[in-house]
Amino acid sequence: MNTAYVVVTVLAALAALIAAGIDVFRADWVRENMRDYGLPTWSLTPLAVIKAVGGAGLLAGLAYRPLAVAAAAGLVLYFIGAEITVLATRCYSHIAYPLPYLLLAAASLTLAVA
């Protein structure tokens, strides 16, 4: 297992888990963004679960690579969906927010399959 893969995967996992925590605690700015996107506030819980499971899957995937591939792929799809949501609702000033998470998940996926 190479060092770059471990570092990037741990960073991606921590980012996903922190993002999930932000959703769980329902920060005011997150609730406001949800309203801007036309999403109900209750959807924060399932979205947080998806991110938390993805982050945990990345960490568990350090021991079992196929799990890391699945978790990273799921997070990549999730954050692509987040970008599509931002674009579809024309909240262009929010485009940058999901990008670091997407890039970390994509980097983890790339290194996991390499």
Side-chain angles (χ1 to χ4, degrees), residues 78-91:
Y78 175 88
F79 288 113
I80 287 173
E83 286 292 348
I84 290 169
T85 300
V86 169
L87 291 170
T89 57
R90 300 175 190 246
C91 295

mmCIF file with all atom_site columns, all heavy atoms in Angstrom, residues 78-91:
data_model
loop_
_atom_site.group_PDB
_atom_site.id
_atom_site.type_symbol
_atom_site.label_atom_id
_atom_site.label_alt_id
_atom_site.label_comp_id
_atom_site.label_asym_id
_atom_site.label_entity_id
_atom_site.label_seq_id
_atom_site.pdbx_PDB_ins_code
_atom_site.Cartn_x
_atom_site.Cartn_y
_atom_site.Cartn_z
_atom_site.occupancy
_atom_site.B_iso_or_equiv
_atom_site.pdbx_formal_charge
_atom_site.auth_seq_id
_atom_site.auth_comp_id
_atom_site.auth_asym_id
_atom_site.auth_atom_id
_atom_site.pdbx_PDB_model_num
ATOM 1   N N   . TYR A 1 78 ? -21.851 11.000 -5.505  1.00 0.00 ? 78 TYR A N   1
ATOM 2   C CA  . TYR A 1 78 ? -22.585 11.895 -4.613  1.00 0.00 ? 78 TYR A CA  1
ATOM 3   C C   . TYR A 1 78 ? -22.197 13.348 -4.892  1.00 0.00 ? 78 TYR A C   1
ATOM 4   O O   . TYR A 1 78 ? -23.059 14.218 -5.043  1.00 0.00 ? 78 TYR A O   1
ATOM 5   C CB  . TYR A 1 78 ? -22.304 11.538 -3.148  1.00 0.00 ? 78 TYR A CB  1
ATOM 6   C CG  . TYR A 1 78 ? -22.940 12.505 -2.194  1.00 0.00 ? 78 TYR A CG  1
ATOM 7   C CD1 . TYR A 1 78 ? -24.235 12.312 -1.741  1.00 0.00 ? 78 TYR A CD1 1
ATOM 8   C CD2 . TYR A 1 78 ? -22.269 13.644 -1.768  1.00 0.00 ? 78 TYR A CD2 1
ATOM 9   C CE1 . TYR A 1 78 ? -24.839 13.219 -0.885  1.00 0.00 ? 78 TYR A CE1 1
ATOM 10  C CE2 . TYR A 1 78 ? -22.856 14.552 -0.923  1.00 0.00 ? 78 TYR A CE2 1
ATOM 11  C CZ  . TYR A 1 78 ? -24.140 14.335 -0.479  1.00 0.00 ? 78 TYR A CZ  1
ATOM 12  O OH  . TYR A 1 78 ? -24.734 15.237 0.356   1.00 0.00 ? 78 TYR A OH  1
ATOM 13  N N   . PHE A 1 79 ? -20.885 13.625 -4.935  1.00 0.00 ? 79 PHE A N   1
ATOM 14  C CA  . PHE A 1 79 ? -20.459 15.011 -5.101  1.00 0.00 ? 79 PHE A CA  1
ATOM 15  C C   . PHE A 1 79 ? -20.642 15.518 -6.528  1.00 0.00 ? 79 PHE A C   1
ATOM 16  O O   . PHE A 1 79 ? -20.809 16.726 -6.733  1.00 0.00 ? 79 PHE A O   1
ATOM 17  C CB  . PHE A 1 79 ? -19.029 15.198 -4.582  1.00 0.00 ? 79 PHE A CB  1
ATOM 18  C CG  . PHE A 1 79 ? -18.970 15.130 -3.075  1.00 0.00 ? 79 PHE A CG  1
ATOM 19  C CD1 . PHE A 1 79 ? -18.335 14.088 -2.433  1.00 0.00 ? 79 PHE A CD1 1
ATOM 20  C CD2 . PHE A 1 79 ? -19.602 16.093 -2.305  1.00 0.00 ? 79 PHE A CD2 1
ATOM 21  C CE1 . PHE A 1 79 ? -18.310 14.010 -1.049  1.00 0.00 ? 79 PHE A CE1 1
ATOM 22  C CE2 . PHE A 1 79 ? -19.587 16.033 -0.923  1.00 0.00 ? 79 PHE A CE2 1
ATOM 23  C CZ  . PHE A 1 79 ? -18.941 14.984 -0.287  1.00 0.00 ? 79 PHE A CZ  1
ATOM 24  N N   . ILE A 1 80 ? -20.672 14.635 -7.504  1.00 0.00 ? 80 ILE A N   1
ATOM 25  C CA  . ILE A 1 80 ? -21.074 15.058 -8.857  1.00 0.00 ? 80 ILE A CA  1
ATOM 26  C C   . ILE A 1 80 ? -22.545 15.479 -8.810  1.00 0.00 ? 80 ILE A C   1
ATOM 27  O O   . ILE A 1 80 ? -22.925 16.501 -9.398  1.00 0.00 ? 80 ILE A O   1
ATOM 28  C CB  . ILE A 1 80 ? -20.838 13.939 -9.887  1.00 0.00 ? 80 ILE A CB  1
ATOM 29  C CG1 . ILE A 1 80 ? -19.346 13.790 -10.171 1.00 0.00 ? 80 ILE A CG1 1
ATOM 30  C CG2 . ILE A 1 80 ? -21.600 14.222 -11.185 1.00 0.00 ? 80 ILE A CG2 1
ATOM 31  C CD1 . ILE A 1 80 ? -18.987 12.605 -11.044 1.00 0.00 ? 80 ILE A CD1 1
ATOM 32  N N   . GLY A 1 81 ? -23.347 14.712 -8.095  1.00 0.00 ? 81 GLY A N   1
ATOM 33  C CA  . GLY A 1 81 ? -24.754 15.075 -7.919  1.00 0.00 ? 81 GLY A CA  1
ATOM 34  C C   . GLY A 1 81 ? -24.906 16.413 -7.215  1.00 0.00 ? 81 GLY A C   1
ATOM 35  O O   . GLY A 1 81 ? -25.787 17.213 -7.560  1.00 0.00 ? 81 GLY A O   1
ATOM 36  N N   . ALA A 1 82 ? -24.040 16.671 -6.245  1.00 0.00 ? 82 ALA A N   1
ATOM 37  C CA  . ALA A 1 82 ? -24.078 17.962 -5.547  1.00 0.00 ? 82 ALA A CA  1
ATOM 38  C C   . ALA A 1 82 ? -23.763 19.103 -6.516  1.00 0.00 ? 82 ALA A C   1
ATOM 39  O O   . ALA A 1 82 ? -24.429 20.146 -6.497  1.00 0.00 ? 82 ALA A O   1
ATOM 40  C CB  . ALA A 1 82 ? -23.094 17.964 -4.384  1.00 0.00 ? 82 ALA A CB  1
ATOM 41  N N   . GLU A 1 83 ? -22.768 18.889 -7.362  1.00 0.00 ? 83 GLU A N   1
ATOM 42  C CA  . GLU A 1 83 ? -22.425 19.916 -8.352  1.00 0.00 ? 83 GLU A CA  1
ATOM 43  C C   . GLU A 1 83 ? -23.570 20.134 -9.338  1.00 0.00 ? 83 GLU A C   1
ATOM 44  O O   . GLU A 1 83 ? -23.890 21.271 -9.690  1.00 0.00 ? 83 GLU A O   1
ATOM 45  C CB  . GLU A 1 83 ? -21.152 19.540 -9.111  1.00 0.00 ? 83 GLU A CB  1
ATOM 46  C CG  . GLU A 1 83 ? -19.883 19.705 -8.310  1.00 0.00 ? 83 GLU A CG  1
ATOM 47  C CD  . GLU A 1 83 ? -19.530 21.150 -7.995  1.00 0.00 ? 83 GLU A CD  1
ATOM 48  O OE1 . GLU A 1 83 ? -20.124 22.082 -8.568  1.00 0.00 ? 83 GLU A OE1 1
ATOM 49  O OE2 . GLU A 1 83 ? -18.649 21.342 -7.153  1.00 0.00 ? 83 GLU A OE2 1
ATOM 50  N N   . ILE A 1 84 ? -24.184 19.059 -9.773  1.00 0.00 ? 84 ILE A N   1
ATOM 51  C CA  . ILE A 1 84 ? -25.318 19.175 -10.698 1.00 0.00 ? 84 ILE A CA  1
ATOM 52  C C   . ILE A 1 84 ? -26.465 19.937 -10.042 1.00 0.00 ? 84 ILE A C   1
ATOM 53  O O   . ILE A 1 84 ? -27.097 20.787 -10.670 1.00 0.00 ? 84 ILE A O   1
ATOM 54  C CB  . ILE A 1 84 ? -25.768 17.780 -11.178 1.00 0.00 ? 84 ILE A CB  1
ATOM 55  C CG1 . ILE A 1 84 ? -24.704 17.189 -12.103 1.00 0.00 ? 84 ILE A CG1 1
ATOM 56  C CG2 . ILE A 1 84 ? -27.124 17.842 -11.867 1.00 0.00 ? 84 ILE A CG2 1
ATOM 57  C CD1 . ILE A 1 84 ? -24.902 15.725 -12.428 1.00 0.00 ? 84 ILE A CD1 1
ATOM 58  N N   . THR A 1 85 ? -26.706 19.664 -8.766  1.00 0.00 ? 85 THR A N   1
ATOM 59  C CA  . THR A 1 85 ? -27.764 20.372 -8.036  1.00 0.00 ? 85 THR A CA  1
ATOM 60  C C   . THR A 1 85 ? -27.475 21.865 -7.979  1.00 0.00 ? 85 THR A C   1
ATOM 61  O O   . THR A 1 85 ? -28.368 22.688 -8.204  1.00 0.00 ? 85 THR A O   1
ATOM 62  C CB  . THR A 1 85 ? -27.907 19.805 -6.613  1.00 0.00 ? 85 THR A CB  1
ATOM 63  O OG1 . THR A 1 85 ? -28.247 18.421 -6.707  1.00 0.00 ? 85 THR A OG1 1
ATOM 64  C CG2 . THR A 1 85 ? -28.967 20.547 -5.816  1.00 0.00 ? 85 THR A CG2 1
ATOM 65  N N   . VAL A 1 86 ? -26.228 22.214 -7.675  1.00 0.00 ? 86 VAL A N   1
ATOM 66  C CA  . VAL A 1 86 ? -25.842 23.627 -7.610  1.00 0.00 ? 86 VAL A CA  1
ATOM 67  C C   . VAL A 1 86 ? -26.034 24.291 -8.972  1.00 0.00 ? 86 VAL A C   1
ATOM 68  O O   . VAL A 1 86 ? -26.589 25.391 -9.066  1.00 0.00 ? 86 VAL A O   1
ATOM 69  C CB  . VAL A 1 86 ? -24.383 23.762 -7.122  1.00 0.00 ? 86 VAL A CB  1
ATOM 70  C CG1 . VAL A 1 86 ? -23.881 25.183 -7.301  1.00 0.00 ? 86 VAL A CG1 1
ATOM 71  C CG2 . VAL A 1 86 ? -24.263 23.332 -5.667  1.00 0.00 ? 86 VAL A CG2 1
ATOM 72  N N   . LEU A 1 87 ? -25.612 23.606 -10.028 1.00 0.00 ? 87 LEU A N   1
ATOM 73  C CA  . LEU A 1 87 ? -25.758 24.180 -11.370 1.00 0.00 ? 87 LEU A CA  1
ATOM 74  C C   . LEU A 1 87 ? -27.221 24.274 -11.794 1.00 0.00 ? 87 LEU A C   1
ATOM 75  O O   . LEU A 1 87 ? -27.633 25.277 -12.385 1.00 0.00 ? 87 LEU A O   1
ATOM 76  C CB  . LEU A 1 87 ? -24.973 23.347 -12.382 1.00 0.00 ? 87 LEU A CB  1
ATOM 77  C CG  . LEU A 1 87 ? -23.448 23.424 -12.254 1.00 0.00 ? 87 LEU A CG  1
ATOM 78  C CD1 . LEU A 1 87 ? -22.789 22.383 -13.149 1.00 0.00 ? 87 LEU A CD1 1
ATOM 79  C CD2 . LEU A 1 87 ? -22.954 24.820 -12.574 1.00 0.00 ? 87 LEU A CD2 1
ATOM 80  N N   . ALA A 1 88 ? -27.998 23.245 -11.478 1.00 0.00 ? 88 ALA A N   1
ATOM 81  C CA  . ALA A 1 88 ? -29.404 23.234 -11.882 1.00 0.00 ? 88 ALA A CA  1
ATOM 82  C C   . ALA A 1 88 ? -30.204 24.336 -11.201 1.00 0.00 ? 88 ALA A C   1
ATOM 83  O O   . ALA A 1 88 ? -31.166 24.854 -11.780 1.00 0.00 ? 88 ALA A O   1
ATOM 84  C CB  . ALA A 1 88 ? -30.032 21.874 -11.572 1.00 0.00 ? 88 ALA A CB  1
ATOM 85  N N   . THR A 1 89 ? -29.806 24.690 -9.991  1.00 0.00 ? 89 THR A N   1
ATOM 86  C CA  . THR A 1 89 ? -30.522 25.741 -9.266  1.00 0.00 ? 89 THR A CA  1
ATOM 87  C C   . THR A 1 89 ? -29.898 27.119 -9.481  1.00 0.00 ? 89 THR A C   1
ATOM 88  O O   . THR A 1 89 ? -30.334 28.092 -8.885  1.00 0.00 ? 89 THR A O   1
ATOM 89  C CB  . THR A 1 89 ? -30.571 25.424 -7.765  1.00 0.00 ? 89 THR A CB  1
ATOM 90  O OG1 . THR A 1 89 ? -29.240 25.266 -7.269  1.00 0.00 ? 89 THR A OG1 1
ATOM 91  C CG2 . THR A 1 89 ? -31.378 24.172 -7.497  1.00 0.00 ? 89 THR A CG2 1
ATOM 92  N N   . ARG A 1 90 ? -28.886 27.158 -10.344 1.00 0.00 ? 90 ARG A N   1
ATOM 93  C CA  . ARG A 1 90 ? -28.219 28.408 -10.711 1.00 0.00 ? 90 ARG A CA  1
ATOM 94  C C   . ARG A 1 90 ? -27.630 29.152 -9.521  1.00 0.00 ? 90 ARG A C   1
ATOM 95  O O   . ARG A 1 90 ? -27.589 30.386 -9.493  1.00 0.00 ? 90 ARG A O   1
ATOM 96  C CB  . ARG A 1 90 ? -29.162 29.308 -11.495 1.00 0.00 ? 90 ARG A CB  1
ATOM 97  C CG  . ARG A 1 90 ? -29.647 28.654 -12.763 1.00 0.00 ? 90 ARG A CG  1
ATOM 98  C CD  . ARG A 1 90 ? -30.685 29.504 -13.468 1.00 0.00 ? 90 ARG A CD  1
ATOM 99  N NE  . ARG A 1 90 ? -31.289 28.755 -14.526 1.00 0.00 ? 90 ARG A NE  1
ATOM 100 C CZ  . ARG A 1 90 ? -31.167 29.048 -15.809 1.00 0.00 ? 90 ARG A CZ  1
ATOM 101 N NH1 . ARG A 1 90 ? -30.475 30.090 -16.174 1.00 0.00 ? 90 ARG A NH1 1
ATOM 102 N NH2 . ARG A 1 90 ? -31.764 28.305 -16.710 1.00 0.00 ? 90 ARG A NH2 1
ATOM 103 N N   . CYS A 1 91 ? -27.168 28.401 -8.548  1.00 0.00 ? 91 CYS A N   1
ATOM 104 C CA  . CYS A 1 91 ? -26.480 28.983 -7.384  1.00 0.00 ? 91 CYS A CA  1
ATOM 105 C C   . CYS A 1 91 ? -24.983 28.958 -7.675  1.00 0.00 ? 91 CYS A C   1
ATOM 106 O O   . CYS A 1 91 ? -24.208 28.271 -7.000  1.00 0.00 ? 91 CYS A O   1
ATOM 107 C CB  . CYS A 1 91 ? -26.815 28.206 -6.114  1.00 0.00 ? 91 CYS A CB  1
ATOM 108 S SG  . CYS A 1 91 ? -28.537 28.303 -5.638  1.00 0.00 ? 91 CYS A SG  1
#
